[in-house]
mmCIF file of all heavy atoms in Angstrom:
data_model
loop_
_atom_site.group_PDB
_atom_site.id
_atom_site.type_symbol
_atom_site.label_atom_id
_atom_site.label_comp_id
_atom_site.label_asym_id
_atom_site.label_seq_id
_atom_site.Cartn_x
_atom_site.Cartn_y
_atom_site.Cartn_z
ATOM 1 N N ASP A 782 84.676 -12.726 -93.851
ATOM 2 C CA ASP A 782 85.507 -12.909 -92.662
ATOM 3 C C ASP A 782 85.712 -14.396 -92.397
ATOM 4 O O ASP A 782 84.763 -15.191 -92.400
ATOM 5 C CB ASP A 782 84.830 -12.268 -91.442
ATOM 6 C CG ASP A 782 84.951 -10.756 -91.455
ATOM 7 O OD1 ASP A 782 85.668 -10.226 -92.342
ATOM 8 O OD2 ASP A 782 84.317 -10.099 -90.597
ATOM 9 N N GLY A 783 86.979 -14.771 -92.188
ATOM 10 C CA GLY A 783 87.305 -16.162 -91.900
ATOM 11 C C GLY A 783 87.467 -17.031 -93.125
ATOM 12 O O GLY A 783 87.768 -18.221 -92.998
ATOM 13 N N ALA A 784 87.283 -16.478 -94.319
ATOM 14 C CA ALA A 784 87.427 -17.269 -95.544
ATOM 15 C C ALA A 784 88.901 -17.537 -95.835
ATOM 16 O O ALA A 784 89.794 -16.798 -95.395
ATOM 17 C CB ALA A 784 86.789 -16.541 -96.718
ATOM 18 N N THR A 785 89.158 -18.595 -96.563
ATOM 19 C CA THR A 785 90.540 -18.955 -96.931
ATOM 20 C C THR A 785 91.015 -18.198 -98.160
ATOM 21 O O THR A 785 92.109 -18.438 -98.646
ATOM 22 C CB THR A 785 90.626 -20.462 -97.197
ATOM 23 O OG1 THR A 785 89.700 -20.798 -98.243
ATOM 24 C CG2 THR A 785 90.278 -21.248 -95.942
ATOM 25 N N PHE A 786 90.198 -17.318 -98.678
ATOM 26 C CA PHE A 786 90.529 -16.538 -99.873
ATOM 27 C C PHE A 786 90.152 -15.090 -99.603
ATOM 28 O O PHE A 786 89.419 -14.777 -98.657
ATOM 29 C CB PHE A 786 89.739 -17.055 -101.080
ATOM 30 C CG PHE A 786 88.247 -17.031 -100.852
ATOM 31 C CD1 PHE A 786 87.483 -15.918 -101.169
ATOM 32 C CD2 PHE A 786 87.599 -18.130 -100.288
ATOM 33 C CE1 PHE A 786 86.114 -15.891 -100.940
ATOM 34 C CE2 PHE A 786 86.225 -18.106 -100.061
ATOM 35 C CZ PHE A 786 85.484 -16.986 -100.389
ATOM 36 N N ASP A 787 90.662 -14.201 -100.443
ATOM 37 C CA ASP A 787 90.225 -12.815 -100.377
ATOM 38 C C ASP A 787 89.597 -12.446 -101.711
ATOM 39 O O ASP A 787 89.749 -13.161 -102.712
ATOM 40 C CB ASP A 787 91.365 -11.859 -100.021
ATOM 41 C CG ASP A 787 92.561 -12.012 -100.952
ATOM 42 O OD1 ASP A 787 92.454 -12.788 -101.926
ATOM 43 O OD2 ASP A 787 93.596 -11.368 -100.722
ATOM 44 N N ALA A 788 88.868 -11.347 -101.732
ATOM 45 C CA ALA A 788 88.087 -11.002 -102.921
ATOM 46 C C ALA A 788 87.924 -9.500 -103.028
ATOM 47 O O ALA A 788 88.317 -8.741 -102.128
ATOM 48 C CB ALA A 788 86.717 -11.686 -102.851
ATOM 49 N N GLY A 789 87.368 -9.065 -104.126
ATOM 50 C CA GLY A 789 87.009 -7.675 -104.330
ATOM 51 C C GLY A 789 85.612 -7.616 -104.907
ATOM 52 O O GLY A 789 85.247 -8.468 -105.728
ATOM 53 N N GLY A 790 84.815 -6.650 -104.478
ATOM 54 C CA GLY A 790 83.440 -6.619 -104.972
ATOM 55 C C GLY A 790 82.801 -5.255 -104.862
ATOM 56 O O GLY A 790 83.439 -4.272 -104.486
ATOM 57 N N LYS A 791 81.524 -5.209 -105.205
ATOM 58 C CA LYS A 791 80.765 -3.961 -105.127
ATOM 59 C C LYS A 791 79.298 -4.304 -104.945
ATOM 60 O O LYS A 791 78.739 -5.128 -105.675
ATOM 61 C CB LYS A 791 80.945 -3.133 -106.418
ATOM 62 C CG LYS A 791 80.224 -1.798 -106.367
ATOM 63 C CD LYS A 791 80.946 -0.839 -105.440
ATOM 64 C CE LYS A 791 80.119 0.414 -105.175
ATOM 65 N NZ LYS A 791 79.045 0.161 -104.173
ATOM 66 N N THR A 792 78.680 -3.660 -103.959
ATOM 67 C CA THR A 792 77.250 -3.820 -103.739
ATOM 68 C C THR A 792 76.499 -2.750 -104.522
ATOM 69 O O THR A 792 77.074 -1.734 -104.921
ATOM 70 C CB THR A 792 76.931 -3.685 -102.249
ATOM 71 O OG1 THR A 792 77.328 -2.374 -101.802
ATOM 72 C CG2 THR A 792 77.668 -4.730 -101.432
ATOM 73 N N GLY A 793 75.216 -2.980 -104.742
ATOM 74 C CA GLY A 793 74.430 -1.998 -105.480
ATOM 75 C C GLY A 793 72.966 -2.033 -105.094
ATOM 76 O O GLY A 793 72.398 -3.108 -104.872
ATOM 77 N N THR A 794 72.383 -0.851 -104.998
ATOM 78 C CA THR A 794 70.953 -0.708 -104.721
ATOM 79 C C THR A 794 70.384 0.307 -105.699
ATOM 80 O O THR A 794 70.996 1.357 -105.931
ATOM 81 C CB THR A 794 70.708 -0.228 -103.281
ATOM 82 O OG1 THR A 794 71.340 -1.125 -102.370
ATOM 83 C CG2 THR A 794 69.219 -0.154 -102.981
ATOM 84 N N ALA A 795 69.248 -0.004 -106.283
ATOM 85 C CA ALA A 795 68.631 0.910 -107.254
ATOM 86 C C ALA A 795 67.170 1.132 -106.894
ATOM 87 O O ALA A 795 66.456 0.191 -106.534
ATOM 88 C CB ALA A 795 68.748 0.346 -108.667
ATOM 89 N N GLN A 796 66.758 2.399 -106.968
ATOM 90 C CA GLN A 796 65.338 2.735 -106.842
ATOM 91 C C GLN A 796 64.719 2.540 -108.224
ATOM 92 O O GLN A 796 65.086 3.221 -109.168
ATOM 93 C CB GLN A 796 65.170 4.169 -106.358
ATOM 94 C CG GLN A 796 65.723 4.405 -104.963
ATOM 95 C CD GLN A 796 65.659 5.863 -104.552
ATOM 96 O OE1 GLN A 796 65.470 6.742 -105.379
ATOM 97 N NE2 GLN A 796 65.819 6.116 -103.260
#
Side-chain angles (χ1 to χ4, degrees):
D782 284 353
T785 58
F786 57 89
D787 54 5
K791 182 73 190 78
T792 61
T794 304
Q796 296 175 345

